[in-house]
Amino acid sequence: MTKTRKLGGSMSNQTVTRADIADALHQEVGLSHNECSKLLDDVLKEITCALVEEEGVKLSSFGSFTIRHKDERMGRNP
């Protein structure tokens, strides 16, 4: 079972959910929970749309995201 971690904690074997990020925004910025959820959804939608259009996305001090196309390979079903 995967544990949910609070932002700022240890990252080993734990998942950060949208609710965790929205809650952290609420605490740090002071917007309502609904506004934080909407803001997070808008940011994730922009990132997704850019990746669908095969544009790279760079978040300063966080990371870069790109779509990589790989050749098919033969898999096996153990």
Side-chain angles (χ1 to χ4, degrees), residues 42-65:
D42 290 345
V43 169
L44 294 175
K45 183 177 179 180
E46 287 297 319
I47 292 171
T48 302
C49 289
L51 291 173
V52 166
E53 296 294 321
E54 297 191 8
E55 299 174 11
V57 175
K58 181 177 181 185
L59 302 175
S60 184
S61 300
F62 183 75
S64 297
F65 303 89

Side-chain angles (χ1 to χ4, degrees), residues 5-66:
R5 77 175 189 92
K6 296 298 178 193
L7 296 179
S10 171
M11 289 188 57
S12 62
N13 296 327
Q14 297 178 347
T15 301
V16 176
T17 65
R18 284 182 182 208
D20 292 334
I21 297 171
D23 188 50
L25 279 171
H26 170 70
Q27 292 176 9
E28 291 291 321
V29 181
L31 297 174
S32 72
H33 284 285
N34 288 340
E35 290 172 320
C36 291
S37 293
K38 173 80 169 103
L39 176 63
L40 179 59
D41 287 342
D42 290 345
V43 169
L44 294 175
K45 183 177 179 180
E46 287 297 319
I47 292 171
T48 302
C49 289
L51 291 173
V52 166
E53 296 294 321
E54 297 191 8
E55 299 174 11
V57 175
K58 181 177 181 185
L59 302 175
S60 184
S61 300
F62 183 75
S64 297
F65 303 89
T66 58

